[in-house]
Each structure stands twice: as structure tokens, then as C-alpha cells.
Amino acid sequence: MRLDKFLKVSRLIKRRTLAKEVAGQGRIIVNGSPAKASTVLTVGDELVIQFAQKVLTLEVTSLKDTTKKGEAENLYKVINEEKVN
């Protein structure tokens, strides 16, 4: 599954276009290297996403094309969450 679609389906980022923009700015790292929106994810990949106020490190645990709001958190496991000042 593409990175931008995963971020939208998992509800980490609300819109796919916004996910593409964040990836284009180099604020997403997959398995230690900067990722593009078209990067293909697999189960077990580690993502580091830099938001405005925090850096989120997570592991992909499942890939689904669609999910309900309550099930979206089951697609990933948060490893670390740091606040950025």
C-alpha cells in the first residue's frame, strides 16, 4: 500500500493530498530513509512522522484499503511520541 493512502486510511493525516505534501517536505522517514508519497509500505515497517509539535514513531501492524474510525488505530502501533519545542 502506498504511504499516502496508509496515512489517510489510518487517520494519522486527514487527507491524502496533505499526506503527499508532508512526504514531499521530507518530514516522513520509512525504515531510516526519507520517503515519498508513493513509497510502498509493508507490515513491520517503521515510520517516523514529524508533525508541527511532535515527532511520532510507529510500526505498521496491518494494511487495509478501508477502515472504520474505531478500527483505524489497529493499523499501527505507537513506539515513541516526542514533543518538539
Side-chain angles (χ1 to χ4, degrees), residues 19-33:
K20 287 181 184 180
E21 189 176 307
V22 171
Q25 294 170 351
R27 295 175 20 201
I28 301 176
I29 297 172
V30 176
N31 296 327
S33 58

Side-chain angles (χ1 to χ4, degrees), residues 26-85:
R27 295 175 20 201
I28 301 176
I29 297 172
V30 176
N31 296 327
S33 58
K36 296 181 180 179
S38 61
T39 300
V40 177
L41 294 180
T42 58
V43 174
D45 283 349
E46 182 178 282
L47 299 178
V48 178
I49 306 170
Q50 181 181 346
F51 293 102
Q53 300 296 320
K54 66 182 175 180
V55 176
L56 191 63
T57 304
L58 47 96
E59 179 184 342
V60 178
T61 57
S62 178
L63 296 172
K64 295 183 181 177
D65 287 335
T66 60
T67 58
K68 295 180 181 177
K69 189 174 184 178
E71 298 172 356
E73 292 180 358
N74 297 332
L75 297 179
Y76 59 91
K77 177 176 74 172
V78 176
I79 297 170
N80 190 17
E81 187 174 345
E82 301 175 29
K83 291 196 176 190
V84 177
N85 295 331

Side-chain angles (χ1 to χ4, degrees), residues 4 8 13-20:
D4 55 347
K8 178 190 177 293
I13 296 180
K14 287 187 178 186
R15 292 182 308 276
R16 197 165 171 180
T17 53
L18 185 57
K20 287 181 184 180

